[in-house]
Amino acid sequence: MAAEASPVLGGPASSVLATDISGAVSWADQCRKKGKMRAWVDMPDGGMLWTASLILLRYLEVDAGVDWTGKRVLEIGSGCGHLATGLARLGAHVTATESAEQKVSGNGFGHMQASVQRLLAERPDSAEPAGQNGALPAGKGPDGVSRGGTVRFRKLHWGLDDLPPADWSGFDVVILSELYFFTELHEALLGVLRHVLHPGMVAYSIFVDRPFSLGFLALLDDDQSFELEVAEFKEDFEHDCNEDDTENPIYFHTITRRSLKR
């Protein structure tokens, strides 16, 4: 039997809602099968989009109560770049990271760059480098307004010789979307989070139910310097994890850092 073709994400949507500034709704519509959004979508360029990232993006746009204009966002493990692109469209300055080690990251740094550039090109006046740091502007929204957001790229290989530089500061938000798949990398990811998440910041974490992924939350709890709080989203795009229409839970948390005791 011939394999069913995957939706082509990153192409012009048939219709763009004026209220869908980030693009989350449009992208989710392209991930549907039998009326429900699949938990993952194989991309035409060989990557894989885990669609819980679109649920998080929609939450951040509609329900988080945050004005993203000018916010500095660090996304750890950006994958195909939909979250980074969407937040830039909302006005954030996003640093999107991936490993340059193909064998570990799956998609890799080069794939992330190409995918984000393709996504940005959906909107007018985007994807041309702006400023000395090479950041790419997100362009105008469906309402014709440019919110000034940008995306720039950094290589970040967890736990090896590419830890965040000591001068990585000033971020407001950290994004952790579908990162906990490889249990052997949990300790390395925890080390990265210790470097980049400081008191006063917030991290948003989301992943589809996998018993081994829960181990990372246990590590955070054992560390005793992090606070985890369960968060709730209102819109899940009828998310469906399995071919038989059974649904698995989505784990969604905010993570903050406790103030250091003196």
Side-chain angles (χ1 to χ4, degrees), residues 74 76 97 156-160 162-164 168 174 176 186-197 226 257:
L74 173 66
I76 300 176
T97 69
L156 178 63
H157 194 74
W158 307 346
L160 298 183
D162 199 16
L163 281 173
W168 265 30
V174 176
L176 308 160
H186 283 182
E187 289 282 359
L189 178 58
L190 179 63
V192 172
L193 201 58
R194 288 189 187 120
H195 276 79
V196 299
L197 187 65
F226 297 95
R257 198 78 184 270

Side-chain angles (χ1 to χ4, degrees), residues 9-217:
L9 293 183
S14 56
S15 63
V16 179
L17 300 176
T19 56
D20 183 28
I21 304 300
S22 71
V25 175
S26 176
W27 288 327
D29 285 345
Q30 297 175 65
C31 294
R32 293 188 183 279
K33 182 178 179 182
K34 298 180 181 179
K36 292 188 176 183
M37 184 173 72
R38 294 297 314 280
W40 67 90
V41 175
D42 291 323
M43 306 294 285
D45 59 5
M48 179 180 289
L49 170 65
W50 291 91
T51 57
S53 62
L54 303 182
I55 295 173
L56 175 55
L57 178 57
R58 186 61 173 169
Y59 169 86
L60 296 175
E61 179 176 10
V62 176
D63 297 320
V66 176
D67 178 2
W68 292 99
T69 305
K71 294 290 186 185
R72 289 193 61 198
V73 177
L74 173 66
E75 184 178 13
I76 300 176
S78 300
C80 295
H82 291 75
L83 257 167
T85 301
L87 286 171
R89 288 173 173 177
L90 297 176
H93 297 296
V94 184
T95 298
T97 69
E98 262 296 348
S99 171
E101 297 291 326
Q102 183 76 14
K103 63 182 180 180
V104 174
S105 65
N107 292 334
F109 183 77
H111 173 266
M112 175 192 68
Q113 286 183 299
S115 182
V116 168
Q117 288 171 335
R118 185 170 55 252
L119 294 170
L120 287 172
E122 293 179 15
R123 299 280 174 87
D125 303 322
S126 63
E128 292 296 330
Q132 295 181 349
N133 64 0
L136 302 178
K140 297 179 180 178
D143 54 1
V145 176
S146 174
R147 290 162 176 81
T150 60
V151 182
R152 65 173 182 153
F153 308 111
R154 291 291 297 267
K155 295 177 182 178
L156 178 63
H157 194 74
W158 307 346
L160 298 183
D161 58 355
D162 199 16
L163 281 173
D167 63 351
W168 265 30
S169 61
F171 290 109
D172 303 297
V173 173
V174 176
I175 300 294
L176 308 160
S177 177
E178 293 284 13
L179 289 190
Y180 318 140
F181 189 85
F182 296 107
T183 56
E184 64 269 26
L185 294 178
H186 283 182
E187 289 282 359
L189 178 58
L190 179 63
V192 172
L193 201 58
R194 288 189 187 120
H195 276 79
V196 299
L197 187 65
H198 304 291
M201 297 171 58
V202 61
Y204 294 93
S205 165
I206 195 167
F207 62 94
V208 173
D209 181 32
R210 306 183 194 92
F212 44 84
S213 293
L214 290 170
F216 184 73
L217 300 186

